[in-house]
């Protein structure tokens, strides 16, 4: 029965030209965490001009999470270098970072033998070389994201070696600044503004490709115009996205995942970590559950509330910022509406017989969600994990093993099915129908 099916959608369900054209994980990380968006900060300073003239926060700062000389950045690349140290002599992709990796290896040696003087000297060298690593990473990301995404043509590309950026773990990078939102003047303006600016970068990274669908969107070779126009009338822009987005342009013969699945299973429920209005459009408001916030939701920290700004007005003296639960393993609980959404998700999962996961990688940054899914699976309920691949697949065993590892499940569990998918919603629907029909039969 349709009402016994729950779909869980991650960012992969909206990525690429065949879907909604939103950025990939790598591009999203680049724009939100690794690029200082000076043009956006210029417009945010104007936006907050009147909003900072109160007791809550004294002034705007263009602080950035990963400044070249920041302790946070050095900490993250230090961990990455430690992780990939064993491969530096065999992996050609790591060669540009060899000097830094070798410095970190040597620093570990001095830590182990307790040589404080040598540690201090090596750390000074690490700080200096970190600046070069920063430049290499930005250059690497920009180069990779300026090219069309390549597709593997043969088996020789199956085992591609990792790059240095693949070892970067941003755990703790954002979370440590969350507390500054409570009292920025006392905790620290730098900490406060780098997390607020980060939220805005995430917001615009998702919003901008959606706005490109509209005739009124103009980039004019200068993104400041887009930022300025959007910030000047946020409720109107957001309402336009939710009310007048041309969904028909995404409904080709193969359809998108949301359209195909909601039409076939109209009584099913959709849970998502995405921020966009897409699942709500296709599945309906009552059958859509958002676990990570929405583009239309903004936090009012001085009022301890989150508001949907559609069809409303944001007064010039009200301090607001996007309410998005972004890439951080520890997510803050801000308002009751969050708890209610998670309550709805748990209730739907409790009453479901089949959970179908699409575009969600089960990454550790969302372990709070993975714990929910684990509880569901341990009740001996069916999970269909849909994974993207361009290769011909002989066996799904590896992906099933991945699901078990990510959800910390026993190897003996047999209720997980993995389904390969090439990004074609129509083909995936046929596969799912066959599995569900076989199950019902």
């Amino acid at each position: 029965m349709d009402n016994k099916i729950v779909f869980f959608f991650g960012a992969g369900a909206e990525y690429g030209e065949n879907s909604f054209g939103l950025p990939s994980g790598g591009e999203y990380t680049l724009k939100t965490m690794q690029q200082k968006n000076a043009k956006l900060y210029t417009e945010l300073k104007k936006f907050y001009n009147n909003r900072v003239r109160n007791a809550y926060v004294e002034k705007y700062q263009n602080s950035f999470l990963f400044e070249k000389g920041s302790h946070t950045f050095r900490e993250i690349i230090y961990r990455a270098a430690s992780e990939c140290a064993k491969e530096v002599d065999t992996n050609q992709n790591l060669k540009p970072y060899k000097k830094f990796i070798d410095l970190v290896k040597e620093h570990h040696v001095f830590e182990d033998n307790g040589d404080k003087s040598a540690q201090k000297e090596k750390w000074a060298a690490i700080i200096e070389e970190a600046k070069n690593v920063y430049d290499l990473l930005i250059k690497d990301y920009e180069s990779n994201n300026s090219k069309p995404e390549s597709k593997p043509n043969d088996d020789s590309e199956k085992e591609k070696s990792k790059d240095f950026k693949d070892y970067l773990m941003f755990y703790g990078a954002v979370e440590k600044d969350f507390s500054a939102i409570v009292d920025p003047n006392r905790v620290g303006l730098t900490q406060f503004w780098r997390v607020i600016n980060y939220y805005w970068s995430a917001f615009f990274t998702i919003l901008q490709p959606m706005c490109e669908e509209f005739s009124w969107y103009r980039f004019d070779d200068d993104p400041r115009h887009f930022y300025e126009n959007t910030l000047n009338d946020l409720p109107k822009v957001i309402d336009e996205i939710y009310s007048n987005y041309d969904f028909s342009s995404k409904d080709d013969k193969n359809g998108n995942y949301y359209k195909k699945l909601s039409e076939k299973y109209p009584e099913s429920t959709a849970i998502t970590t995405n921020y966009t209005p897409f699942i709500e459009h296709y599945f309906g408001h009552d059958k859509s559950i958002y676990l990570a916030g929405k583009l239309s939701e903004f936090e009012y920290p001085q009022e301890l509330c989150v508001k949907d700004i559609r069809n409303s007005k944001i007064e010039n003296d009200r301090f607001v910022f996007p309410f998005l639960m972004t890439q951080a393993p520890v997510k803050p609980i801000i308002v009751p509406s969050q708890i209610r959404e998670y309550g709805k998700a748990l209730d739907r999962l409790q009453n479901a017989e089949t959970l179908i996961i699409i575009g969600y990688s089960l990454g550790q940054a969302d372990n709070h969600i993975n714990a929910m899914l684990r509880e569901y699976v341990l009740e001996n309920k069916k999970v269909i994990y849909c994974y993207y691949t361009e290769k011909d697949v002989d066996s799904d065993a590896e992906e099933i093993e991945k699901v078990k590892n990510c959800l910390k499940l026993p190897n003996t569990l047999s209720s997980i099915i993995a389904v390969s998918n090439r990004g074609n919603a129509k083909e995936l629907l046929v596969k799912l129908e066959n599995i569900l029909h076989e199950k019902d039969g």
Side-chain angles (χ1 to χ4, degrees):
M1 296 174 64
D2 290 6
N3 61 2
K4 295 295 184 180
I5 296 175
V6 171
F7 291 99
F8 193 104
F9 295 105
E14 299 181 356
Y15 164 63
E17 293 181 3
N18 293 332
S19 187
F20 292 95
L22 294 185
S24 66
E27 184 182 355
Y28 178 82
T29 300
L30 166 67
K31 291 183 176 180
T32 58
M33 282 191 165
Q34 299 210 233
Q35 280 188 335
K36 184 171 183 176
N37 193 338
K39 292 184 177 181
L40 171 58
Y41 299 167
T42 296
E43 299 309 318
L44 285 175
K45 183 177 182 179
K46 298 176 187 175
F47 175 77
Y48 283 116
N49 185 42
N50 292 322
R51 305 174 198 276
V52 297
R53 296 175 183 175
N54 55 49
Y56 177 63
V57 60
E58 295 174 354
K59 60 182 179 179
Y60 177 78
Q61 290 186 6
N62 62 350
S63 305
F64 175 53
L65 274 172
F66 298 101
E67 298 284 0
K68 182 181 290 191
S70 75
H71 176 76
T72 299
F73 175 73
R74 290 197 296 266
E75 191 176 74
I76 287 171
I77 61 174
Y78 185 96
R79 288 201 304 251
S82 301
E83 284 291 316
C84 65
K86 293 180 180 179
E87 295 184 33
V88 67
D89 294 323
T90 58
N91 184 345
Q92 291 298 317
N93 293 337
L94 299 177
K95 294 300 180 184
Y97 302 92
K98 179 174 170 54
K99 181 177 179 180
F100 182 78
I101 295 169
D102 286 344
L103 285 170
V104 170
K105 287 166 66 176
E106 293 166 10
H107 187 261
H108 280 307
V109 171
F110 294 130
E111 277 185 323
D112 292 340
N113 63 28
D115 191 335
K116 299 291 185 182
S117 176
Q119 279 184 58
K120 185 176 180 180
E121 181 181 339
K122 198 60 61 178
W123 183 249
I126 286 172
I127 290 175
E128 191 61 32
E129 184 59 23
K131 299 174 185 177
N132 294 327
V133 173
Y134 185 96
D135 293 335
L136 282 169
L137 281 171
I138 296 299
K139 182 179 179 181
D140 185 23
Y141 268 114
E142 289 176 341
S143 173
N144 287 338
N145 283 283
S146 66
K147 302 173 185 176
E149 187 172 350
S150 59
K151 298 180 179 180
N153 297 316
D154 53 49
D155 291 342
S156 65
E157 296 190 49
K158 283 185 178 180
E159 298 296 332
K160 183 181 177 183
S161 297
K162 286 185 176 181
D163 296 319
F164 187 80
K165 66 178 182 293
D166 295 322
Y167 289 91
L168 298 176
M169 293 184 295
F170 298 98
Y171 303 162
V174 182
E175 299 95 312
K176 62 184 176 53
D177 291 336
F178 285 155
S179 60
I181 296 173
V182 176
D183 192 340
N185 293 324
R186 291 183 62 187
V187 178
L189 290 181
T190 298
Q191 293 93 316
F192 173 75
W193 282 113
R194 64 189 178 197
V195 75
I196 298 301
N197 290 335
Y198 165 65
Y199 281 138
W200 280 109
S201 292
F203 173 81
F204 276 106
T205 297
I206 301 299
L207 182 73
Q208 185 173 316
M210 296 181 66
C211 289
E212 291 172 1
E213 298 287 328
F214 293 91
S215 59
W216 49 258
Y217 173 83
R218 295 289 181 271
F219 205 84
D220 296 332
D221 297 323
D222 190 342
R224 286 181 302 178
H225 299 156
F226 171 62
Y227 300 144
E228 180 182 25
N229 293 337
T230 302
L231 291 168
N232 281 342
D233 203 348
L234 270 170
K236 181 179 178 181
V237 172
I238 294 298
D239 187 58
E240 183 83 352
I241 289 290
Y242 277 76
S243 302
N244 298 316
Y245 186 85
D246 183 15
F247 288 93
S248 64
S249 66
K250 306 301 179 184
D251 299 342
D252 62 14
K253 63 180 180 179
N254 292 323
N256 59 70
Y257 297 115
Y258 300 151
K259 178 177 173 61
K260 288 294 183 184
L261 297 171
S262 63
E263 287 181 344
K264 182 63 182 178
Y265 305 104
E267 297 303 315
S268 62
T269 296
I271 304 174
T272 187
T273 54
N274 299 330
Y275 318 118
T276 60
F278 300 136
I279 70 162
E280 192 171 348
H281 171 81
Y282 290 100
F283 285 85
H285 175 77
D286 293 337
K287 298 186 184 73
S288 302
I289 300 172
Y290 286 80
L291 298 183
K294 300 179 181 180
L295 286 175
S296 62
E297 292 181 335
F298 280 72
E299 183 172 346
Y300 289 66
Q302 291 172 277
E303 302 171 43
L304 296 181
C305 70
V306 170
K307 299 180 183 180
D308 192 312
I309 66 167
R310 288 174 284 179
N311 302 311
S312 65
K313 179 182 179 181
I314 302 176
E315 293 82 356
N316 288 333
D317 62 345
R318 307 293 280 281
F319 194 99
V320 301
F321 57 88
F323 180 69
L324 307 174
M325 297 294 101
T326 55
Q327 293 171 305
V330 178
K331 307 291 197 295
I333 298 298
I334 307 297
V335 288
S337 60
Q338 283 176 279
I339 301 172
R340 284 192 284 269
E341 285 295 289
Y342 277 87
K344 284 167 57 179
L346 287 169
D347 181 64
R348 300 296 172 88
L349 288 170
Q350 180 67 35
N351 291 289
E353 293 180 355
T354 303
L355 172 65
I356 302 173
I357 301 173
I358 301 174
Y360 178 66
S361 65
L362 303 169
Q364 291 178 323
D366 285 319
N367 262 351
H368 61 303
I369 293 174
N370 295 340
M372 294 168 57
L373 304 183
R374 180 179 188 273
E375 182 179 82
Y376 169 88
V377 179
L378 288 176
E379 293 179 356
N380 293 317
K381 295 184 178 181
K382 188 73 67 180
V383 173
I384 303 175
Y385 180 74
C386 306
Y387 65 97
Y388 177 83
T389 179
E390 286 288 343
K391 308 178 183 74
D392 292 328
V393 178
D394 296 324
S395 170
D396 299 308
E398 186 176 331
E399 292 298 323
I400 292 174
E401 187 68 20
K402 171 191 169 181
V403 175
K404 289 181 180 179
N405 288 337
C406 290
L407 299 184
K408 316 299 182 188
L409 296 167
N411 290 328
T412 55
L413 201 70
S414 60
S415 58
I416 298 171
I417 299 171
V419 179
S420 62
N421 170 36
R422 294 177 183 266
N424 186 305
K426 185 177 179 180
E427 290 179 1
L428 179 61
L429 176 59
V430 171
K431 290 185 177 183
L432 292 176
E433 286 183 286
N434 291 336
I435 293 171
L436 293 173
H437 178 73
E438 179 180 330
K439 172 181 173 290
D440 293 337

